[in-house]
């Protein structure tokens, strides 16, 4: 109805001209004493022709308008998909649109090539920078061994302890550089058009233990307690990408925990769908349930979930910041207090887990710690 109203208003001037001509012709024929019924018959016939022409024109108008609406929803449509022009101004408009689309395609290809070049450059830079980092790490480790040996023979223990502390600070800063380099590499790979995801059944203990070993020195330096009981639990995931996520979550836990400890839990649960809700059963005997389940009977309504939980006793996250901690570059209150916070770690974790098809849940209370949970549904 709105389209017909718009079409009528667009053509009201021509209708007014036709009506004026009809009135002039009627007055002329009346002055020439032509019978009124003959004039009325002619006007009725002209009116019928005008109505038919109006409806046919509206049908073509509606079809053109529909095609334009489709192009508006999908702006990448080619100009060749537009309706053939009827008037000269339509032809000019389509020529302008064609030029705009060609320029858009050119700019898009140029931008795509530029992004690919940047991605390749950053990947190359990350791989190249790892060589001096590895060399520097060996030099610092040698320096630490020398300082530790000197401490055993030296009389000035305070001075030598200071030297050892300085070397440890160098190790920590170098470790932080390695983290940032890995984040840059994963960020570049995550945004690439192709990825190297390899889904397989992974023993989660082989994912968690390397992360614990990686941050063992920080646990010792900060005197934090670590609680983890190895479990013989497997899940279908990508080992490398999930390992990166666990690294980031453990890094955050260590960074924002000053005292107390960190607990890592890996367990399974069965989630059974009933008519009104889900019944959750967390039992040790269900660990390998998914390997033996059938697709019929009661098992068809059951969902196997693998839980990976990293919980700390750190400073926690403010309630206002909690909904936004996975946004790109968002640091929140804790980030403003910590000059090393980048706001990228949790963003990468959420993006990677979304691509892996896993769920990510964060619960926290300021001053009482944070609980980060990965849910792998099978």
């Amino acid at each position: 109805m709105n389209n017909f109203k718009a079409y009528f208003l667009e053509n009201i001037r021509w209708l007014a001209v036709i009506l004026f001509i009809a009135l002039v012709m009627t007055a002329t024929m009346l002055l020439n004493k032509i019978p009124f019924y003959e004039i009325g018959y002619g006007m009725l016939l002209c009116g019928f022709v005008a109505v038919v022409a109006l409806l046919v024109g509206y049908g073509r108008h509606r079809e053109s308008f529909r095609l334009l609406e489709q192009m508006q929803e999908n702006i990448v449509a080619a100009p060749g998909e537009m309706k053939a022009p009827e008037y000269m101004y339509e032809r000019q408009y389509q020529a302008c649109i064609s030029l705009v689309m060609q320029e858009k395609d050119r700019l898009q290809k140029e931008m795509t090539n530029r992004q690919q070049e940047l991605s390749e450059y950053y990947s190359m830079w990350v791989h190249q920078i790892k060589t001096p980092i590895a060399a520097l790490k060996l030099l610092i480790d040698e320096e630490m061994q020398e300082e530790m040996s000197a401490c055993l023979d030296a009389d000035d223990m305070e001075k030598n302890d200071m030297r050892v502390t300085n070397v440890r600070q160098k190790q920590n800063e170098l470790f932080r550089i390695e983290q940032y380099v890995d984040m840059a590499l994963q960020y570049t790979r995550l945004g690439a058009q192709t990825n190297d995801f390899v889904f397989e059944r992974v023993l989660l203990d082989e994912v968690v233990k390397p992360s614990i070993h990686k941050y063992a020195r920080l646990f010792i330096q900060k005197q934090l307690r670590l609680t983890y009981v190895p479990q013989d639990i497997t899940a279908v995931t990508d080992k490398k990408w999930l390992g990166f996520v666990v690294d980031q979550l453990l890094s955050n836990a260590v960074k924002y925990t000053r005292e107390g400890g960190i607990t890592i839990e890996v367990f399974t649960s069965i989630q059974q769908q009933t008519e009104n809700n889900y019944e959750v059963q967390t039992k040790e005997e269900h660990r390998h349930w998914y390997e033996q389940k059938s697709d019929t009977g009661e098992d068809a309504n059951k969902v196997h979930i693998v839980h990976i939980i990293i919980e700390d006793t750190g400073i926690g996250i403010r309630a206002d910041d909690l909904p936004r901690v996975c946004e790109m570059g968002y640091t929140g209150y804790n980030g403003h207090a910590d000059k090393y916070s980048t706001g990228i770690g949790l963003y990468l974790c959420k993006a990677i887990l979304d691509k892996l098809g896993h769920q990510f849940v964060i619960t926290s209370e300021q001053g009482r710690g944070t609980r980060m949970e990965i849910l792998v549904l099978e």
Side-chain angles (χ1 to χ4, degrees):
M1 188 64 184
N2 291 333
N3 289 343
F4 181 79
K5 182 178 179 181
Y7 174 74
F8 181 81
L9 293 175
E10 288 176 0
N11 293 274
I12 194 170
R13 291 176 297 175
W14 294 108
L15 295 174
V17 170
I18 293 173
L19 180 61
F20 177 75
I21 293 174
L23 293 174
V24 171
M25 293 300 296
T26 301
T28 302
M29 287 186 286
L30 287 175
L31 290 175
N32 286 279
K33 297 180 181 181
I34 297 176
F36 184 77
Y37 71 89
E38 292 184 4
I39 298 174
Y41 177 75
M43 291 298 105
L44 184 62
L45 185 61
C46 291
F48 175 75
V49 173
V51 170
V52 171
L54 185 67
L55 293 177
V56 171
Y58 171 68
R60 298 178 67 87
H61 165 84
R62 185 176 62 178
E63 179 65 17
S64 299
F65 192 77
R66 184 184 65 82
L67 291 175
L68 287 174
E69 284 184 330
Q70 290 179 354
M71 287 188 64
Q72 185 178 1
E73 294 176 357
N74 185 18
I75 197 62
V76 298
E81 298 178 7
M82 292 189 293
K83 182 176 173 289
E86 296 183 30
Y87 306 101
M88 183 179 296
Y89 73 90
E90 288 185 349
R91 188 177 296 108
Q92 294 298 324
Y93 279 141
Q94 290 191 12
C96 291
I97 292 175
S98 179
L99 292 175
V100 171
M101 294 295 291
Q102 290 177 10
E103 180 66 11
K104 170 183 169 291
D105 291 340
R106 186 188 67 82
L107 292 175
Q108 189 172 15
K109 290 179 181 178
E110 184 178 328
M111 182 180 65
T112 301
N113 293 334
R114 179 60 177 166
Q115 288 180 340
Q116 185 175 358
E117 290 175 359
L118 287 175
S119 177
E120 292 175 355
Y121 169 75
Y122 285 128
S123 298
M124 179 186 66
W125 179 86
V126 168
H127 287 294
Q128 288 180 341
I129 202 66
K130 284 185 175 182
T131 301
I133 288 177
L136 188 59
K137 185 176 181 180
L138 291 175
L139 293 174
I140 294 177
D141 289 343
E142 290 179 0
E143 184 179 357
M144 172 61 77
Q145 293 178 358
E146 293 176 358
E147 293 295 338
M148 293 297 294
S149 299
C151 285
L152 298 176
D153 301 330
D155 297 331
D156 192 351
M157 296 298 298
E158 182 177 353
K159 184 177 181 180
N160 283 277
D161 287 343
M162 186 178 299
R163 291 178 178 176
V164 172
T165 302
N166 290 335
V167 176
R168 285 177 177 171
Q169 289 178 350
K170 293 179 183 179
Q171 289 179 328
N172 293 339
E173 295 301 325
L174 183 61
F175 181 71
R176 187 175 287 113
I177 292 174
E178 285 185 287
Q179 285 184 296
Y180 291 154
V181 169
D182 288 338
M183 289 174 63
L185 180 60
Q186 301 303 333
Y187 180 78
T188 302
R189 288 178 174 174
L190 193 64
Q193 295 181 352
T194 58
N195 56 64
D196 60 346
F197 290 156
V198 178
F199 288 93
E200 57 184 350
R201 189 160 296 282
V202 176
L203 181 63
L204 296 179
D205 195 39
E206 296 178 355
V207 177
V208 176
K209 280 187 175 180
S211 296
I212 294 175
H213 179 73
K214 185 176 182 179
Y215 291 94
R217 186 173 66 251
L218 296 181
F219 275 97
I220 296 173
Q221 290 180 6
K222 299 186 73 171
Q223 297 181 352
L224 298 178
R225 180 184 68 258
L226 173 65
T227 303
Y228 173 65
V229 178
Q231 300 290 337
D232 186 22
I233 297 177
T234 63
V236 177
T237 185
D238 184 283
K239 184 176 181 180
K240 181 183 70 174
W241 286 92
L242 183 62
F244 174 79
V245 172
V246 173
D247 284 350
Q248 291 299 312
L249 298 184
L250 197 56
S251 172
N252 278 7
V254 174
K255 182 192 298 183
Y256 295 111
T257 302
R258 300 189 181 96
E259 59 182 12
I262 297 171
T263 301
I264 303 177
E265 293 182 84
V266 178
F267 62 92
T268 63
S269 67
I270 299 298
Q271 198 172 60
Q272 182 174 1
Q273 184 177 9
T274 61
E275 184 176 356
N276 298 322
N277 56 7
Y278 288 91
E279 180 184 356
V280 179
Q281 304 172 355
T282 305
K283 297 182 179 179
E284 187 67 21
E285 58 265 28
H286 291 313
R287 178 180 300 169
H288 296 293
W289 169 85
Y290 57 91
E291 297 177 352
Q292 303 171 355
K293 69 176 182 180
S294 63
D295 294 331
T296 59
E298 295 182 357
D299 290 345
N301 294 324
K302 294 180 180 180
V303 179
H304 177 266
I305 303 176
V306 179
H307 303 256
I308 305 173
I309 299 176
I310 299 177
E311 188 171 5
D312 61 64
T313 59
I315 60 177
I317 303 172
R318 294 202 311 181
D320 295 341
D321 294 334
L322 196 57
R324 300 186 58 191
V325 291
C326 292
E327 293 181 8
M328 174 64 174
Y330 185 78
T331 57
Y333 176 79
N334 294 341
H336 286 79
D338 179 14
K339 63 181 180 179
Y340 296 112
S341 180
T342 61
I344 298 178
L346 289 179
Y347 163 78
L348 287 175
C349 292
K350 182 66 167 60
I352 291 171
L353 292 176
D354 286 344
K355 285 183 176 290
L356 292 176
H358 305 336
Q359 296 181 8
F360 188 35
V361 180
I362 303 177
T363 55
S364 181
E365 184 177 350
Q366 189 174 10
R368 302 192 64 178
T370 302
R371 174 188 175 99
M372 300 190 180
E373 184 174 9
I374 301 171
L375 303 175
V376 182
L377 280 65
E378 296 187 346

